[in-house]
Amino acid sequence: MFLSKIWFILVALFAGVSLSIALTAPRPMVQKLQELEGQRLDRAEYATEQMLKVDAHKWIDRVARLGRDAVLAEALDSASRGSGELGVQHRTVQVRIQALLPDLAGAGIATIVAVDANGRVVARVGGDDDKNFGENIGGAELIDDALRGFLSDDVWGAGGRLLRVAGAPVLSKSRDRIVGALYVGAETGAQFAERLKKNLDVDIALLLKGKVIASTIPAEVLSGLPDMVEQHRQDIDNLKRTPALPIDVGNETYLAVAAPFPGQASLQKAYYVLIGKKPAHADMGSLLASTSAHDLKWGTFPWIPLLVTILGIIAVGLFLQRFEVDGPMQRIRAELRALVRLDGAKLNDHKYGGGFGGIARDVNAALEHVSIAMSGAHPLGNHAMADAPAAGSAFSEGESHFAQAVRPAAGPPLIPGLGAPPPPAFAPPSDDGGPAPSSPAQPAFGAAPTSSEQDEDAHIREVYEQFVATKKECGEPTAGLTLDKFSQRLHDNRAALMAKHDCRTVRFTVYVKEGKASLRATPIK
Amino acid sequence: MTSLRTFVPLLLLALPLPALAGTVKGTVRVPDTVRSGRMNQGYWRLENGNVPVRPSSRKAGTVVVLQGISGTHPPPPRTVTVEIAGLTATPRFVVVGPGSVVEFKNTGKITHELSVPADETLMPVERLNPGTFRHQKFGVPGGYLVRCSEYPSLAISVIVVDSPYYAVVDDKGAFSIPGVPDGKATLKVWAGGRWAHEESIDTNGKDLSIRIESAKSANQPEAKEAEGTGKEGDSEGKEPDPKGSAE
């Protein structure tokens, strides 16, 4: 079962490594994706800034062109000089602007306002208050700039709306003095956000005074956005933008980069926020939750390699189990059944390795032990413990001299009294290396001893005589050491050692150790 | 009674005489953003190319104040009216003593929402409809920037001083404060809607030259650094608005 165990360990290691990779591999990937998304938002923010800048120049050009209109210049000049009715001038300018720009909404214009050289509103076009005129708005920085001669842009936040405005002076017909100014306000709301989203492929939210005034995703779910941006006011002041910040929108997590609008709207907490979806979390649940049916399709998921791998692992495991477990188990069962049918003397333990080999040898030893017990004078099961050499005795000492266990030769009849079994299926090698002799017919229980037993008795008697003589030489007492007892003990010891060390027989030799007679047992294969 | 008549002049002679008085004068050079009259710029600011650009009519509103002079008394409280017509406030800055009341009077057609953004507990946002007025008392010395939340370009600086020694800087940046006792004093400059400069000086009549490198946008909280704790802000070296200006 060695290979099966190794295979099991390898499969477990493989599964552990695979699981570890499956759990950890997405993390750096998710971090990288998040970093890339942050960089994408950075680029989008830069692009937005450039777009706003280009847009601002475009609006300045437009309003400057509009300011070169002679009718407008004449009407504003008249209003600045205080000549004529302001109401008439209001209508003149309004009609003229409407004639020049008939489709304000189509041009993305929310309002156009004309002021005279004193900063007084002469006419408005677009918006809800195009009937109002006459108030002074010269205090606005953009208007003041235009009346001084500058073309400039700004962003205003008023009435909950955000306007990108561009202003330009209106020169007199002779182009030698400033007679007024025009400014154009461009819509900066939902349409602007949609345009940005279309161009940049990121979601947009516009903030003003701590509120979301327009966004490409529902504003309700962005309720926490103004506070989050305000918390990073320091970054905005220093860097003109925030780093990519994670925000929870409903069940989704997004990354957001906020940047301020320029101009006076920056005093009104006016920001544009670019929002990109944050990559999924790297935990197993999130990864599985983000898996779609498409990911599991045949063409997408490597089903065939996966199935081949799984089947291969199973096949190798089954093969190893059959090779190392099922096969030996079947064989050993078959042999045991044969033994029961008296078709053999013992198990052929050569054929088995590992644990099964050990089981076969144990079974053989047990059978031999039973055989010996039943053939001897001792009742079965008593002799082993009762006759074991006492600790410290000469017999016990001899056991320590076994160099190694050796395979026992085919033994005597195993089950006396049950008739003579046929020769065993296997033939252990003989001492001279020749073919093992076939077992003779086994005597029935209580029959006369065989020649080999007689040899053994002779050997024991010889050892006994040597042992008694050696003890006498060593000055040890020999009273009570009868041949019967000595022989019985050596028989018992021999049987035990044969069972334990799997040897054919045991030869004893007498020697002196530390002034005492001792016995050495030597296994014979 | 005779002894009293002779004692009073002696007592007057025994009182410490005030130090010699002189004039503290100098020049304040504020950043271009303050002088240009455009604190909050967009992306572009281009000259028209036909007629020369006129100087701004908007006063920079730079005030130099001397503080920490012993033996001085703050100006008495008074009521000052600031008239708001359209998007223009007149005057755009006032210098008053502690306890003074500023009356903001809307004479235009535009509704405003005035407050001190840096200290809305002092002056919270409140609607100021056309034709109405609002009184606001300023009790603690300091600089306060009152601003309309709808039209932030409408900003009024209220400088409450606890010393009679202050001067408004003229168009060329010059100022002169006469009658200042000799000694140590703290000179503070309010420019661009905030305390932009502070230094200790000897008021010995020398000419001072003060250069303010940059001015932050006037919405910065420095305006709240009013109670004599104002210090030179982080105004060195950095331009307030890196966005392009073609002026």
Side-chain angles (χ1 to χ4, degrees):
Chain A
M1 286 187 286
F2 176 75
L3 291 176
S4 300
K5 289 175 182 171
I6 293 293
W7 182 248
F8 174 75
I9 292 169
L10 286 177
V11 169
L13 284 175
F14 176 73
V17 169
S18 302
L19 195 61
S20 301
I21 291 172
L23 288 173
T24 56
R27 292 180 189 277
M29 189 181 67
V30 166
Q31 287 168 358
K32 186 68 181 171
L33 285 175
Q34 187 168 331
E35 188 182 318
L36 290 174
E37 183 65 13
Q39 290 173 358
R40 190 171 79 95
L41 291 176
D42 285 349
R43 289 193 293 274
E45 192 277 326
Y46 178 77
T48 307
E49 195 71 12
Q50 296 307 309
M51 204 177 86
L52 286 169
K53 198 169 181 177
V54 170
D55 259 13
H57 207 294
K58 185 184 77 174
W59 288 114
I60 288 173
D61 289 344
R62 278 193 175 192
V63 74
R65 269 202 307 275
L66 195 63
R68 286 197 284 271
D69 183 74
V71 176
L72 291 177
E74 192 171 352
L76 292 178
D77 193 8
S78 173
S80 300
R81 283 187 277 108
S83 61
E85 282 267 337
L86 186 59
V88 174
Q89 289 150 356
H90 160 72
R91 279 190 296 277
T92 303
V93 171
Q94 203 171 48
V95 168
R96 183 60 181 165
I97 291 174
Q98 285 169 340
L100 292 171
L101 291 168
D103 183 14
L104 287 184
I109 296 172
T111 184
I112 299 179
V113 177
V115 299
D116 65 12
N118 304 311
R120 189 176 50 164
V121 174
V122 176
R124 283 191 171 94
V125 179
D128 301 330
D129 54 352
D130 57 358
K131 291 183 175 58
N132 295 335
F133 60 95
E135 75 268 27
N136 193 309
I137 59 171
E141 289 181 329
L142 177 114
I143 306 297
D144 184 57
D145 260 7
L147 294 176
R148 290 171 59 196
F150 285 115
L151 298 88
S152 66
D153 66 289
D154 204 344
V155 183
W156 293 350
R161 292 171 53 195
L162 210 53
L163 279 183
R164 287 169 294 143
V165 293
V170 176
L171 302 184
S172 63
K173 276 178 157 179
S174 55
R175 308 194 71 73
D176 58 351
R177 60 196 166 85
I178 295 170
V179 297
L182 282 173
Y183 80 79
V184 173
E187 186 274 338
T188 311
Q191 287 180 23
F192 173 74
E194 288 295 341
R195 185 161 68 94
L196 275 181
K197 180 179 181 179
K198 189 177 171 187
N199 289 341
L200 303 174
D201 193 28
V202 292
D203 280 299
I204 313 288
L206 305 179
L207 310 185
L208 177 64
K209 293 183 182 178
K211 289 179 183 170
V212 179
I213 58 167
S215 64
T216 54
I217 49 182
E220 308 86 70
V221 297
L222 294 174
S223 56
L225 190 58
D227 287 340
M228 188 202 73
V229 173
E230 200 56 31
Q231 285 167 8
H232 292 80
R233 183 72 181 261
Q234 193 70 38
D235 288 330
I236 293 173
D237 287 342
N238 295 334
L239 306 172
K240 299 294 176 190
R241 44 155 291 175
T242 65
L245 305 169
I247 55 166
D248 292 324
V249 176
N251 296 325
E252 305 282 357
T253 302
Y254 288 82
L255 289 175
V257 170
F261 278 104
Q264 71 176 33
S266 64
L267 306 178
Q268 298 171 295
K269 301 178 185 175
Y271 306 102
Y272 59 89
V273 186
L274 308 175
I275 303 168
K277 199 166 187 179
K278 189 181 175 187
H281 292 295
D283 60 281
M284 189 60 76
S286 300
L287 290 174
L288 291 176
S290 60
T291 304
S292 66
H294 174 76
D295 297 329
L296 300 176
K297 283 185 177 175
W298 277 101
T300 310
F301 190 82
W303 283 111
I304 292 176
L306 179 68
L307 288 174
V308 168
T309 304
I310 291 173
L311 291 176
I313 290 171
I314 292 172
V316 171
L318 290 176
F319 169 76
L320 289 176
Q321 185 166 0
R322 180 160 186 80
F323 176 72
E324 292 190 323
V325 180
D326 293 345
M329 192 177 290
Q330 287 176 358
R331 288 200 303 274
I332 206 165
R333 283 187 66 191
E335 282 200 54
L336 286 171
R337 284 179 187 143
L339 283 181
V340 170
R341 291 194 306 269
L342 301 179
D343 283 347
K346 59 197 302 184
L347 298 176
N348 189 357
D349 53 10
H350 296 280
K351 296 193 298 184
Y352 306 106
F356 286 102
I359 290 171
R361 285 189 291 276
D362 288 345
V363 169
N364 283 344
L367 289 174
E368 190 168 349
H369 211 68
V370 168
S371 170
I372 290 167
M374 293 187 71
S375 63
H378 294 281
L380 182 64
N382 277 352
H383 69 288
M385 293 300 293
D387 297 338
S393 74
F395 298 114
S396 66
E397 198 171 340
E399 290 183 14
S400 64
H401 293 279
F402 285 111
Q404 58 181 358
V406 291
R407 185 174 300 283
L414 296 172
I415 309 178
L418 294 180
F426 60 96
S430 63
D431 287 343
D432 57 1
S438 58
S439 297
Q442 300 299 315
F445 184 70
T450 61
S451 60
S452 60
E453 288 177 330
Q454 289 171 351
D455 290 344
E456 290 293 331
D457 290 342
H459 170 65
I460 288 174
R461 190 177 301 112
E462 186 182 352
V463 171
Y464 170 72
E465 288 169 356
Q466 288 178 4
F467 190 66
V468 169
T470 305
K471 282 178 81 73
K472 286 177 178 174
E473 287 174 6
C474 295
E476 294 182 76
T478 57
L481 182 61
T482 63
L483 176 60
D484 287 344
K485 287 182 180 175
F486 186 83
S487 174
Q488 186 60 51
R489 291 201 176 182
L490 255 60
H491 269 299
D492 292 346
N493 272 281
R494 183 175 69 98
L497 293 171
M498 284 170 66
K500 183 176 181 182
H501 297 288
D502 197 22
C503 55
R504 180 165 57 85
T505 185
V506 175
R507 289 294 173 187
F508 298 95
T509 54
V510 180
Y511 72 107
V512 177
K513 184 180 178 184
E514 296 176 357
K516 292 183 178 178
S518 295
L519 284 176
R520 172 181 290 132
T522 305
I524 304 299
K525 290 194 277 186
Chain B
M1 197 64 187
T2 306
S3 61
L4 186 61
R5 280 184 192 149
T6 55
F7 182 71
V8 170
L10 287 174
L11 184 64
L12 290 173
L13 286 173
L15 286 173
L17 290 173
L20 292 174
T23 299
V24 175
K25 56 185 178 179
T27 306
V28 177
R29 180 173 172 76
V30 296
D32 290 342
T33 49
V34 176
R35 280 186 297 160
S36 70
R38 183 79 185 262
M39 291 294 293
N40 303 292
Q41 295 193 18
Y43 293 105
W44 303 98
R45 198 179 193 213
L46 313 167
E47 292 191 21
N48 67 84
N50 288 300
V51 298
V53 172
R54 293 200 302 251
S56 174
S57 60
R58 298 156 67 98
K59 299 289 182 186
T62 305
V63 178
V64 177
V65 180
L66 292 179
Q67 292 180 329
I69 300 172
S70 60
T72 59
H73 300 285
R78 61 190 174 116
T79 298
V80 180
T81 299
V82 174
E83 190 175 300
I84 301 169
L87 298 179
T88 307
T90 309
R92 293 183 63 232
F93 62 93
V94 294
V95 184
V96 294
S100 295
V101 173
V102 179
E103 180 188 62
F104 299 97
K105 192 174 178 181
N106 188 354
T107 59
K109 297 179 179 177
I110 299 171
T111 300
H112 293 284
E113 294 180 352
L114 298 181
S115 68
V116 175
D119 189 359
E120 291 200 343
T121 56
L122 172 70
M123 185 176 177
V125 175
E126 196 174 297
R127 185 177 288 263
L128 185 66
N129 290 315
T132 62
F133 57 85
R134 177 181 180 180
H135 285 171
Q136 179 63 45
K137 185 176 181 179
F138 294 90
V140 181
Y144 303 91
L145 187 71
V146 179
R147 167 164 279 153
C148 174
S149 65
E150 283 286 284
Y151 305 97
S153 61
L154 180 76
I156 303 128
S157 293
V158 179
I159 302 141
V160 183
V161 294
D162 56 0
S163 153
Y165 305 110
Y166 63 86
V168 178
V169 174
D170 65 17
D171 292 343
K172 294 179 180 176
F175 70 93
S176 174
I177 306 173
V180 181
D182 283 350
K184 298 277 186 186
T186 301
L187 181 145
K188 295 174 75 174
V189 179
W190 176 272
R194 66 180 188 117
W195 291 115
H197 184 80
E198 178 180 332
E199 67 173 294
S200 295
I201 61 166
D202 284 325
T203 57
N204 55 5
K206 280 195 300 186
D207 264 2
L208 297 171
S209 179
I210 300 161
R211 182 183 180 85
I212 301 170
E213 294 293 339
S214 67
K216 278 191 173 180
S217 168
N219 66 325
Q220 300 299 319
E222 278 82 353
K224 201 181 176 183
E225 294 174 3
E227 295 78 17
T229 59
K231 58 181 181 180
E232 189 170 5
D234 52 348
S235 57
E236 292 178 2
K238 288 188 289 185
E239 282 299 315
D241 187 355
K243 293 193 172 73
S245 168
E247 188 181 12

